[in-house]
Amino acid sequence: MSVKNRMKRLFLIFAVLLTGFSLFANEISASDLRKVIFGNRWENIIEITDDELFAACKNTPYMKYYSYRFTDYHLYEEKYGDETLYRFVASSKPLTYENAVKGYKNGTGELWQAVFIKKNGTLYQLASECIFNLAIGDGTVRCWTEDQLGGIEVISRNNKILGLLVHKYLSRITTHNCAEEGSPSFDEYTKKSSASFYFWSDLKDESYFELKDDGIFYLICDRGVPIIPEVTIDCSYPLIESKHPFKYTLQNVFDGAPSTSFVEDEENNLIFIDMYMPKSVSRCKKIKLINGYAQNKKLYLNNNRIKNITDRKSGAYATLKDSVLENQIFDWNEYSLHAVKIWSGKKYNDTCIAELDFMSESGEWLFGE
């Protein structure tokens, strides 16, 4: 065999091995547990071993009170510049990729997480939320929720944390309406979404925390409600897929990455987002958004895009340009966006929005850009 033929053969063998490794790597990535239980930045969340930290997280009041509901526990680390966050995840079943996907798809099992930071060697619990639960009651017969999906997302820019978004989605809510005898006693609502955004500067403010007997600082509450300022959000119900439940959920519209989008799953396909600000934030002055599924032009045209928007009450109205995968800015009166009309997608019937931000009267954008 000539030298030229040997080189050609070696090149072909290398190409086959490289292709095989690439396919294997893609298969591993597709079946990564983190992709199922976290948002689109799941690769930044790394599982760690720290016996002392693990024991402290497992000893919180919530974990102790509901210890009978969980059997498997995992600890993760997430870094942004000099900041390190820890996620403690508890599961009612062995926490594997297969069990997590089955849980979302079939409505079985329970997943829960809490997010902590360390300051001077002491833990501060910043937030906690059910990742998935089939059904949750309020402890009485007054309210019952089904198929709850929830996440805690770090919102950042240039590797600097701006805050935490705690978001959840309920497929059905049943509430007791105290009806008179002989009348239906329960009201049912489907597809309810809500979220809370906490500014990082507030989460780092020790005046909003108190030290408990377990040696961990928790947010101070008044009648069960944290006193820390928060932005409360109501929004459309998102498109949810079992293998990557948070792929299209609300955090995408605030993550600063136009390649990800918030995608609705409503009967009328008219997406909306209403935000209610704490008193420290002045009135709204402008709105800025990237329309559609802006990862590329093909996905943009294949999905619905917003054509006209208004807000929740002031009557402001704007017409968006189509085929523009960049920011569009308008004078605006409310921290609110309601789609009124849409452009239909060539392939899918889901309305998408890639990015959203608001400027206050002080001239600052809510997410710092």
Side-chain angles (χ1 to χ4, degrees), residues 211-222:
L211 182 63
K212 296 290 189 178
D213 293 339
D214 60 0
I216 298 176
F217 281 88
Y218 297 89
L219 288 169
I220 299 172
C221 294
D222 180 14

Side-chain angles (χ1 to χ4, degrees), residues 68-320:
Y68 65 93
R69 287 160 55 170
F70 302 109
T71 60
D72 197 13
Y73 308 89
H74 293 251
L75 183 64
Y76 296 87
E77 182 180 81
E78 188 173 1
K79 291 187 175 183
Y80 295 85
D82 296 332
E83 303 281 3
T84 300
L85 294 86
Y86 302 97
R87 293 177 184 261
F88 185 72
V89 177
S91 174
S92 61
K93 296 182 177 181
L95 190 52
T96 64
Y97 173 83
E98 291 76 14
N99 282 345
V101 171
K102 287 179 182 177
Y104 289 125
K105 185 179 293 186
N106 304 326
T108 58
E110 179 179 0
L111 284 170
W112 178 90
Q113 70 170 320
V115 173
F116 301 84
I117 58 171
K118 265 186 179 181
K119 295 176 68 174
N120 300 319
T122 303
L123 280 178
Y124 288 71
Q125 181 175 296
L126 304 184
S128 63
E129 182 57 79
C130 178
I131 301 176
F132 176 80
N133 200 343
L134 171 62
I136 301 175
D138 68 347
T140 71
V141 296
R142 293 179 300 174
C143 184
W144 189 261
T145 64
E146 296 183 20
D147 291 345
Q148 176 172 319
L149 177 72
I152 304 172
E153 191 77 13
V154 176
I155 304 300
S156 67
R157 296 292 187 276
N158 301 318
N159 211 30
K160 181 180 179 181
I161 300 176
L162 302 179
L164 290 184
L165 181 75
V166 182
H167 51 120
K168 63 182 177 181
Y169 314 95
L170 308 170
S171 66
R172 185 170 69 169
I173 305 174
T174 305
T175 58
H176 192 275
N177 59 22
C178 301
E180 295 181 1
E181 187 175 351
S183 301
S185 59
F186 289 92
D187 292 322
E188 289 192 354
Y189 307 89
T190 58
K191 294 186 175 181
K192 170 69 175 175
S193 304
S194 62
S196 296
F197 177 75
Y198 302 94
F199 293 102
W200 191 242
S201 57
D202 292 328
L203 289 170
K204 296 297 290 289
D205 187 341
E206 295 187 11
S207 67
Y208 292 119
F209 291 83
E210 60 181 347
L211 182 63
K212 296 290 189 178
D213 293 339
D214 60 0
I216 298 176
F217 281 88
Y218 297 89
L219 288 169
I220 299 172
C221 294
D222 180 14
R223 299 179 183 179
V225 179
I227 65 171
I228 188 173
E230 67 175 301
V231 178
T232 58
I233 305 171
D234 292 326
C235 63
S236 303
Y237 193 82
L239 181 65
I240 295 172
E241 62 171 50
S242 60
K243 292 185 178 180
H244 195 173
F246 300 103
K247 184 176 182 179
Y248 304 116
T249 47
L250 180 66
Q251 80 283 350
N252 291 341
V253 84
F254 305 125
D255 66 2
S259 59
T260 65
S261 291
F262 175 40
V263 182
E264 57 74 33
D265 185 19
E266 301 279 359
E267 289 186 9
N268 62 10
N269 296 318
L270 297 178
I271 200 166
F272 80 92
I273 300 171
D274 287 333
M275 305 177 70
Y276 302 88
M277 299 295 151
K279 294 180 180 179
S280 58
V281 179
S282 58
R283 292 171 59 90
C284 181
K285 182 179 179 181
K286 292 181 183 292
I287 186 174
K288 176 172 65 174
L289 69 149
I290 298 179
N291 199 10
Y293 206 117
Q295 185 176 111
N296 56 57
K297 195 63 173 287
K298 183 179 180 180
L299 283 172
Y300 180 89
L301 294 175
N302 278 343
N303 289 275
N304 295 350
R305 293 89 62 198
I306 302 171
K307 184 176 183 179
N308 301 111
I309 57 173
T310 186
D311 59 23
R312 61 177 169 262
K313 63 180 181 180
S314 80
Y317 193 88
T319 299
L320 306 184

